[in-house]
Amino acid sequence: MNEPLTDGRRIKGEQRKRELIEATIRVVARDGVAGVSHRTVAKEAGQPATAAAYYFKAIDDLLTAALTSCMDEDAERMRRLADVDDPEEGLRALAELMCQVVAAPAHLLAEYELYLLAARRPELREPTRRWLAAVERFGRRHTDDPVRLRVLAGTIDGVLMQALLTDTPPGREEWEGILRAVLLTPGPETGR
């Protein structure tokens, strides 16, 4: 008889944690990593002041959960694109996805703040590795050249970062052109 109550509490607890993670991303987008505290995140989530500290003992736990959430969501979207039957359709879908990503610059900014935090803290790098592995998996639909695959990841990251710094981010056609140049244009050394 206690199981439904326990399951209900567990579900409610997981929902609260999810809300706190989403609130952390919003706080990072608005105030940067330095703006994250248990109190600000709980307030942003509309939860009691002690809620964030209850579910996440340290600020680093909140930041790790936020980074993991972002990177895993991005990696999953990339994996789905890699599974599209027609590689050309997948390339066009990735161009469209990149347009959607730059259309939400606050969320993108939060992701990069958290991404850069992983550069300073090796213990946070596993979620970023999953993202990079998903980009590579997508790229392998078009090439097996390891240099092109690395350039693809760097290009996506670089162009997204540039989109945060400009009033005119790339549109779908420009993204598609960028992706084609990286993945499909024959190179002088490889011929691929």
Side-chain angles (χ1 to χ4, degrees), residues 77-98 138-139 141-142 152 156 172 175-176 179-180 183-184:
R77 289 189 298 195
M78 190 62 74
R79 282 190 292 274
R80 283 194 306 268
L81 291 175
D83 290 339
V84 171
D85 288 335
D86 178 8
E88 277 292 313
E89 184 182 324
L91 193 127
R92 288 189 299 273
L94 178 55
E96 183 61 38
L97 174 62
M98 293 298 100
F138 175 87
R141 297 290 309 271
H142 301 278
L152 174 64
I156 289 172
R172 190 194 53 75
W175 267 111
E176 196 172 326
L179 295 169
R180 287 182 183 288
L183 292 170
L184 305 176

Side-chain angles (χ1 to χ4, degrees), residues 2-192:
N2 287 341
E3 285 184 39
L5 179 60
T6 303
D7 286 344
R9 286 183 188 162
R10 186 174 301 137
I11 290 168
K12 186 176 180 179
E14 289 302 313
Q15 177 63 32
R16 285 186 141 203
K17 283 174 68 173
R18 181 80 218 138
E19 290 169 358
L20 290 164
I21 291 167
E22 290 169 2
T24 302
I25 294 167
R26 289 191 305 273
V27 170
V28 171
R30 184 182 61 235
D31 303 327
V33 170
V36 174
S37 71
H38 285 114
R39 187 174 302 279
T40 58
V41 168
K43 182 177 179 182
E44 181 72 24
Q47 295 187 21
T50 58
Y54 176 80
Y55 290 104
F56 300 96
K57 300 302 178 211
I59 297 302
D60 278 355
D61 297 335
L62 267 171
L63 295 172
T64 299
L67 173 66
T68 300
S69 175
C70 289
M71 293 295 101
D72 286 350
E73 181 181 308
D74 291 348
E76 180 55 31
R77 289 189 298 195
M78 190 62 74
R79 282 190 292 274
R80 283 194 306 268
L81 291 175
D83 290 339
V84 171
D85 288 335
D86 178 8
E88 277 292 313
E89 184 182 324
L91 193 127
R92 288 189 299 273
L94 178 55
E96 183 61 38
L97 174 62
M98 293 298 100
C99 288
Q100 292 169 12
V101 168
V102 298
H107 191 274
L108 181 60
L109 179 60
E111 285 193 40
Y112 272 106
E113 289 248 1
L114 294 164
Y115 197 60
L116 290 173
L117 186 63
R120 293 184 185 273
R121 299 183 186 169
E123 69 275 10
L124 296 179
R125 293 186 186 159
E126 188 53 38
T128 63
R129 286 186 191 105
R130 289 192 294 271
W131 154 248
L132 293 171
V135 171
E136 180 177 327
R137 182 173 175 230
F138 175 87
R140 286 196 181 283
R141 297 290 309 271
H142 301 278
T143 183
D144 61 355
D145 181 348
V147 173
R148 282 182 186 259
L149 294 171
R150 182 167 282 232
V151 170
L152 174 64
T155 299
I156 289 172
D157 280 340
V159 175
L160 287 173
M161 180 68 78
Q162 289 174 2
L164 290 171
L165 302 170
T166 181
D167 294 331
T168 54
R172 190 194 53 75
E173 288 179 9
E174 188 175 354
W175 267 111
E176 196 172 326
I178 290 167
L179 295 169
R180 287 182 183 288
V182 170
L183 292 170
L184 305 176
T185 305
E189 294 85 28
T190 63
R192 315 185 233 190

